[in-house]
Amino acid sequence: MSDELPTHVPAGFRVCTANLGVKDDTTDFCLVVADGPAVTSAGVHTQSRFAGPSVALSRAAAASGDARAVVVVSKNANVANGPDGLADAAELQALASELAGVAPATVAVASTGVIGRRYPIERMRTAIGALTPPEPADAAGFAAAAEAIMTTDTHRKCVSALIEGSDASIVGIAKGVGMIEPNMATLLTYFFTDAEIPPSELDSTFRSVMATTFNALSIDSDTSTSDTAVILANGLAGPVDRDAFETALHDVALRLVLMIAADGEGASKVIEVRVTGARDDAQAKLVAKSIVNSPLVKTAVHGSDPNWGRIVMAIGKCDDQTDVDPEAVSVAIGGVEMYPAEANLAAAQEHMGGDHVVLSADLGIAQGAFTAYGCDLTDGYIRINADYTT
């Protein structure tokens, strides 16, 4: 975990962060604007039936491919507030668009925090009206944006990468440490690049990367009402090779995923579950998520207990996968075989004493594979969430 500034900063972005008084005296407002000759966007959002009005507005802005800005309010999810909540979200979008100097329909909106409480909209209206327009974003500006979107995160999450063979770069920011099993792509995460990418290519590449990074992540198996992922590309650095772009985007996204897993509420260890030999990638993902979400597996990892029986239990409870044959399955901890033949219990226990634990299962069926990421389960998670609103 690190609070270092991003080393690569894309050109043509402006940032504004502030405290609107939503909950406390920390920054709770973030606005990032893309300026350039060929701004395109893409986004993916929660599939929750209780999705907040911010998600609806963000989905519309990103789906058009014309989003030019993102605005985030943290510490309040603005979910389950009926017509008032929708009106508040629309006003936030309008206020942000005026501050950014762009059309309201081009502003993707997100809000995260406590569910079922309305914005202090009058206070927010006054505070936003007093803000100066966003300023050109440097490394510190993007880091401030990452900090402004936090809720129970213990540190900001902001990373960057160069796109090979070009002068373009990507910065990614994310928040989230609980209520995380994305059922689309993610929690809140935003990517900003000065690469020039056609809208259709940006959308397909973004969805592909999200599928194997944020959609492979689970802290507690709970899907948020506010999950949002958006990418803005402004084209200032010119065209880039698509494969190089996807590689850089995947690198940034995966680093953010690992930071989130390590910062999971109460977490002390990252869990990486690699499933191979499945019928297809979808089956591998199903089994990997079953393992990484098991409370018994998570507590075993926390206690550095190489109880491989819990791993085979988690595989076995996928009872509709009738082609999974126990006689063909193998399980390892840290590369040490545990089943069908327990090779070296002490070596497995030593591996589990570290802060990144790798659990592997080969189903012995075909070539399907998927890697899931999560964290251990501690009493800290229970304490944080037992006291969350009080």
Side-chain angles (χ1 to χ4, degrees):
M1 295 187 290
S2 172
D3 280 328
E4 293 181 5
L5 298 178
T7 53
H8 309 292
V9 178
F13 289 91
R14 294 177 286 135
V15 173
C16 173
T17 62
N19 170 250
L20 305 184
V22 174
K23 184 177 180 182
D24 49 35
D25 59 359
T26 61
T27 52
D28 52 29
F29 174 84
C30 166
L31 175 63
V32 183
V33 189
D35 297 315
V39 178
T40 58
S41 64
V44 285
H45 302 79
T46 184
Q47 296 178 28
S48 168
R49 299 305 303 163
F50 259 89
S54 297
V55 170
L57 295 174
S58 181
R59 184 180 283 122
S64 69
D66 296 327
R68 301 185 66 93
V70 296
V71 62
V72 182
V73 167
S74 61
K75 288 43 170 210
N76 183 311
N78 187 30
V79 170
N81 290 317
D84 290 334
L86 178 58
D88 290 346
E91 182 171 359
L92 172 63
Q93 185 182 46
L95 291 168
S97 73
E98 184 175 353
L99 185 62
V102 300
T106 66
V107 180
V109 183
S111 198
T112 176
V114 178
I115 293 169
R117 295 182 182 173
R118 282 192 66 186
Y119 286 151
I121 193 63
E122 293 184 7
R123 189 186 314 157
M124 291 169 57
R125 184 186 303 125
T126 300
I128 294 173
L131 295 176
T132 57
E135 298 182 350
D138 56 10
F142 282 114
E147 185 170 340
I149 68 175
M150 291 167 39
T151 49
T152 56
D153 305 64
T154 64
H155 65 98
R156 66 175 181 254
K157 301 167 180 68
C158 180
V159 298
S160 64
L162 287 172
I163 300 171
E164 187 175 355
S166 75
D167 295 324
S169 62
I170 300 173
V171 164
I173 65 175
K175 66 78 54 182
V177 288
M179 197 184 287
I180 295 175
E181 180 171 20
N183 188 20
M184 50 89 207
T186 165
L187 42 186
L188 291 190
T189 187
Y190 298 95
F191 301 85
F192 310 101
T193 179
D194 49 7
E196 182 181 333
I197 305 287
S200 60
E201 288 190 13
L202 182 65
D203 183 73
S204 61
T205 301
F206 190 56
R207 290 178 183 276
S208 175
V209 168
M210 293 297 101
T212 57
T213 56
F214 280 95
N215 214 24
L217 172 67
S218 180
I219 300 299
D220 47 21
S221 79
D222 286 332
T223 296
S224 171
T225 58
S226 305
D227 291 342
T228 299
V230 171
I231 183 168
L232 301 181
N234 65 22
L236 281 174
V240 297
D241 177 78
R242 177 170 178 171
D243 289 341
F245 174 73
E246 183 166 359
T247 296
L249 180 60
H250 189 278
D251 172 61
V252 169
L254 185 58
R255 281 190 283 157
L256 289 172
V257 163
L258 292 174
M259 292 172 76
I260 289 169
D263 196 29
E265 289 175 339
S268 65
K269 302 178 184 184
V270 172
I271 303 175
E272 180 176 339
V273 178
R274 303 171 182 172
V275 174
T276 55
R279 177 180 67 252
D280 50 31
D281 293 352
Q283 183 185 52
K285 178 180 178 180
L286 179 72
V287 173
K289 284 291 190 76
S290 179
I291 296 170
V292 83
N293 280 330
S294 165
L296 289 175
V297 171
K298 291 160 81 72
T299 50
V301 170
H302 178 63
S304 303
D305 178 14
N307 186 348
W308 55 264
R310 294 182 176 181
I311 301 173
V312 300
M313 172 278 300
I315 299 171
K317 71 179 181 181
C318 300
D319 54 6
D320 58 343
Q321 304 302 298
T322 56
D323 53 348
V324 174
D325 180 359
E327 299 301 319
V329 171
S330 61
V331 168
I333 297 175
V336 179
E337 185 176 293
M338 294 286 102
Y339 172 85
E342 188 178 288
N344 190 330
L345 201 63
Q349 186 171 31
E350 181 179 2
H351 171 76
M352 295 182 78
D355 59 8
H356 190 126
V357 176
V358 179
L359 310 177
S360 305
D362 189 280
L363 305 186
I365 301 171
Q367 303 302 312
F370 192 84
T371 300
Y373 305 91
C375 62
D376 58 342
L377 178 61
T378 71
D379 55 353
Y381 177 88
I382 296 169
R383 193 73 273 138
I384 290 168
N385 285 286
D387 300 336
Y388 184 59
T389 64
T390 55

